[in-house]
Amino acid sequence: MDNLSDENVEHASDLICGLPRKELGYRTPEELFDACLDEIYTALVAEPFGRVKGAYDPLTLPSVSAVG
């Protein structure tokens, strides 16, 4: 393994990770990852400040005049 370049290892990894898996319904890990990101993005766009723990909500922050 010491004689392999980073590019060779990355190429092999891309080939292996690009293969469909039976246990993933013959989809690739990348397809499932992209689908998960799409679901997260859709949920955040549909309800940008709701139900996401720790989400920034400017409506619940105290106003500057109330702080001082």
Side-chain angles (χ1 to χ4, degrees), residues 12-58:
S13 174
D14 289 343
L15 288 176
I16 292 169
C17 290
L19 293 173
R21 307 265 197 300
K22 181 178 180 179
E23 49 283 329
L24 300 178
Y26 295 99
R27 292 174 289 180
T28 66
E30 183 179 9
E31 289 172 333
L32 290 179
F33 182 72
D34 288 343
C36 287
L37 289 180
D38 289 343
E39 286 182 29
I40 292 168
Y41 178 74
T42 300
L44 290 176
V45 169
E47 196 171 335
F49 299 118
R51 297 192 199 122
V52 178
K53 188 175 184 177
Y56 168 72
D57 185 356

Side-chain angles (χ1 to χ4, degrees), residues 49 57-61:
F49 299 118
D57 185 356
L59 300 176
T60 61
L61 296 175

